[in-house]
Amino acid sequence: MKTSEIIAQLEAKHPGEPEFIQAVREVLLSIEDIYNQHPEFEKNKIVERLVEPDRIFTFRIPWVDDKGEVQINLGYRVQFNNAIGPYKGGTRFHHTVNLSTLKFLGFEQTFKNALSTLPMGGGKGGSDFSPKGKSEREIMRFCQAYVTELYKYIGPDMDVPAGDVGVGGREVGFMYGMYKKLTRECTGTFTGKGFEFGGSRLRPESTGYGAIYMVNDICKQHNIEFKGKTVAVSGFGNVAWGATMKATELGAKVVCISGPDGYIYDENGINTQEKFDYMCELRNSGNDVVEPYAKKFGAQFFAGKKPWEHKVDIALPCAIQNELNLEDAKKLVANGVTIVAEVSNMGCTAEAAEFFVEKRIIFAPGKAVNCGGVSCSCLEMSQNAAHIYWSEAEVDERLHQIMKDIHTQCVEYGKEPDGYINYVKGANIAGFMKVAKAMIGQGVC
């Protein structure tokens, strides 16, 4: 395999899709050596097949706002690869959603789901619709219109969407309700549902919880004491909220959270139930600002800046792709950061990720670190299929073990001769090997 040739072909075939090309390049560079050790991969053109999604659905979504005016949005579903199970991946409602973003997310999801050790393929979907500023009735009507087209292509053993940016329990509930009406089936086709109608315990917190379990295992691997470490978190949504609560529970001190308006520094730590609840209030307010936290709790607010300039032991990008760039990475390293773990999907730019590895900073990629969310979604699918509910403790125990297994795989494939553990390489190879072997076992199809 010649990575440069494949990337050049992809760029020519799919111009204007930088996020997708970035994600593919990162994986191919990691797996190139081991790929070339397996002639059966080349014979079956595994990479050439793997970098193209199985299918993409694009559709028009007309809906009526509260003023009685017709609005039009675009909807997408990218079914990337189902070699090891039904397509599984979130639904993103945000004005920036485009095909490049969803293809990169679907591609990443394929390896993330393989890493989870659970039987799930990779997919992703969404729309350029933004719930921000919309009434609940408008959001409901849009979700119903979205599913009216999507329902034909999804199902419990075909494709199981979940939530993502702009899509929480409310939106999933609206989509599931319409799906149930159209199909006349009560199945586990959507995850992230309300607990009263098939949802799982811990689902809102699971991505953040899983990330901290992963970071804690990284600390143990490197003989680092997690307790007492200072942590910077970007964002203040479900993921940041879950990570902040679990980090606090395990003895670390989260001192930074951020929003589009800037970031806050709380030297006392974001570590009380009142502060956790206020993060939820900020998230649910729809204003996308964190400055009110500083005013309420006497913290410092840095307008228009990112938390990566602050001195911390552990940095956790939790917001969106490419949020931490090379300049941010250099600031973190200069300030003595110990661990950087992507909790958002591809939270660091390629240059930033490469810089961390070059400087031998412990750096773990999103496809490993944020597996907790999709893993808990699969646990929800299992409960739905068996028509049972597990307790919070049962779900948490399973989640903890899944993250431990993911860390073990990363170490197995990522340990380099000098002892440095390249978690990017380890995660990519582990996920790729599982998908590639499954594809070979099923023939060319």
Side-chain angles (χ1 to χ4, degrees):
M1 175 182 68
K2 293 184 178 180
T3 299
S4 58
E5 292 181 4
I6 293 174
I7 293 297
Q9 292 169 5
L10 277 179
E11 287 177 328
K13 192 183 297 185
H14 305 292
E17 297 185 357
E19 296 89 354
F20 175 55
I21 299 298
Q22 177 185 340
V24 173
R25 180 183 285 110
E26 181 212 282
V27 171
L28 297 194
L29 288 172
S30 295
I31 68 171
E32 191 168 22
D33 289 342
I34 198 164
Y35 184 92
N36 291 331
Q37 294 170 20
H38 291 267
E40 69 274 20
F41 292 165
E42 181 64 30
K43 180 181 179 181
N44 286 276
K45 293 292 187 287
I46 293 298
V47 161
E48 288 83 352
R49 291 159 58 192
L50 193 52
V51 298
E52 295 288 355
D54 290 346
R55 62 193 63 83
I56 299 172
F57 301 107
T58 306
F59 45 94
R60 169 174 49 84
I61 310 169
W63 59 282
V64 180
D65 66 19
D66 287 345
K67 297 177 182 177
E69 296 180 4
V70 176
Q71 303 292 332
I72 306 294
N73 287 97
L74 281 177
Y76 306 90
R77 188 67 185 173
V78 178
Q79 295 179 337
F80 219 101
N81 186 288
N82 67 348
I84 62 175
Y87 305 104
K88 183 82 189 77
T91 303
R92 178 172 293 193
F93 291 166
H94 195 267
H95 68 276
T96 62
V97 164
N98 57 40
L99 201 51
S100 177
T101 300
L102 295 180
K103 284 173 67 177
F104 121 65
L105 290 168
F107 182 75
E108 286 276 294
Q109 197 78 45
T110 299
F111 298 98
K112 182 193 307 184
N113 292 357
L115 264 179
S116 76
T117 71
L118 302 170
M120 299 179 290
K124 207 75 176 183
S127 171
D128 57 359
F129 168 85
S130 176
K132 184 179 179 181
K134 308 294 193 305
S135 73
E136 186 159 301
R137 288 290 179 180
E138 287 177 321
I139 292 170
M140 180 185 73
R141 287 194 291 273
F142 173 80
C143 289
Q144 291 173 339
Y146 178 79
V147 171
T148 299
E149 181 64 28
L150 182 68
Y151 87 97
K152 295 171 282 189
Y153 312 115
I154 60 177
D157 295 309
M158 183 189 309
D159 186 351
V160 184
D164 195 78
V165 175
V167 178
R170 174 184 60 182
E171 290 77 15
V172 170
F174 290 152
M175 289 189 285
Y176 177 71
M178 179 55 73
Y179 175 84
K180 187 160 62 80
K181 180 176 182 178
L182 292 168
T183 62
R184 294 179 293 168
E185 294 178 350
C186 294
T187 60
T189 299
F190 283 87
T191 57
K193 301 184 291 297
F195 184 73
E196 299 79 9
F197 52 95
S200 175
R201 296 295 189 193
L202 290 187
R203 180 59 191 92
E205 306 95 328
S206 57
T207 303
Y209 277 25
I212 298 303
Y213 290 149
M214 179 76 172
V215 172
N216 195 35
D217 285 335
I218 290 172
C219 286
K220 291 176 182 176
Q221 177 71 33
H222 293 83
N223 297 313
I224 296 170
E225 180 64 49
F226 181 70
K227 187 176 181 180
K229 292 293 182 288
T230 54
V231 183
V233 168
S234 64
F236 60 99
N238 273 345
V239 176
W241 169 66
T244 300
M245 288 195 299
K246 184 56 69 172
T248 300
E249 180 186 323
L250 297 185
K253 184 165 74 169
V254 177
V255 294
C256 295
I257 58 171
S258 71
D261 58 330
Y263 78 93
I264 64 97
Y265 172 71
D266 186 341
E267 64 177 348
N268 296 316
I270 304 164
N271 52 12
T272 66
Q273 192 60 51
E274 184 183 9
K275 291 178 178 180
F276 298 150
D277 290 345
Y278 195 67
M279 285 180 71
C280 292
E281 287 182 36
L282 288 175
R283 180 179 72 247
N284 294 333
S285 70
N287 293 323
D288 284 353
V289 293
V290 293
E291 185 178 9
Y293 178 102
K295 294 178 179 178
K296 183 175 179 65
F297 297 108
Q300 292 177 268
F301 174 67
F302 298 85
K305 295 188 175 183
K306 295 186 282 186
W308 318 126
E309 67 179 17
H310 224 95
K311 181 177 176 59
V312 291
D313 301 310
I314 299 171
L316 303 177
C318 293
I320 202 162
Q321 70 268 9
N322 290 330
E323 57 179 294
L324 194 160
N325 60 32
L326 180 58
E327 182 183 344
D328 300 322
K330 289 180 177 179
K331 289 178 182 177
L332 284 168
V333 173
N335 282 328
V337 73
T338 302
I339 298 170
V340 179
E342 293 179 317
V343 192
S344 50
N345 289 297
M346 206 166 72
C348 297
T349 64
E351 295 80 11
E354 290 165 6
F355 181 76
F356 288 132
V357 174
E358 176 190 330
K359 296 299 181 181
R360 286 325 203 215
I361 300 298
I362 302 169
F363 172 70
K367 62 170 62 69
V369 178
N370 72 21
C371 265
V374 73
S375 297
C376 196
S377 283
C378 192
L379 297 179
E380 182 176 329
M381 292 165 62
S382 299
Q383 292 170 78
N384 293 164
H387 301 287
I388 58 173
Y389 280 113
W390 290 328
S391 69
E392 183 173 312
E394 289 175 305
V395 174
D396 196 35
E397 182 181 357
R398 287 173 168 86
L399 174 61
H400 204 161
Q401 186 60 52
I402 289 167
M403 299 310 297
K404 188 178 293 292
D405 291 342
I406 291 168
H407 180 261
T408 298
Q409 294 175 79
C410 291
V411 172
E412 177 185 353
Y413 287 103
K415 196 164 189 176
E416 298 190 344
D418 64 357
Y420 176 72
I421 298 174
N422 188 330
Y423 283 92
V424 176
K425 181 179 179 181
N428 287 335
I429 292 176
F432 169 77
M433 291 297 286
K434 184 172 181 180
V435 176
K437 289 178 179 179
M439 290 173 69
I440 289 175
Q442 295 168 39
V444 180
C445 58

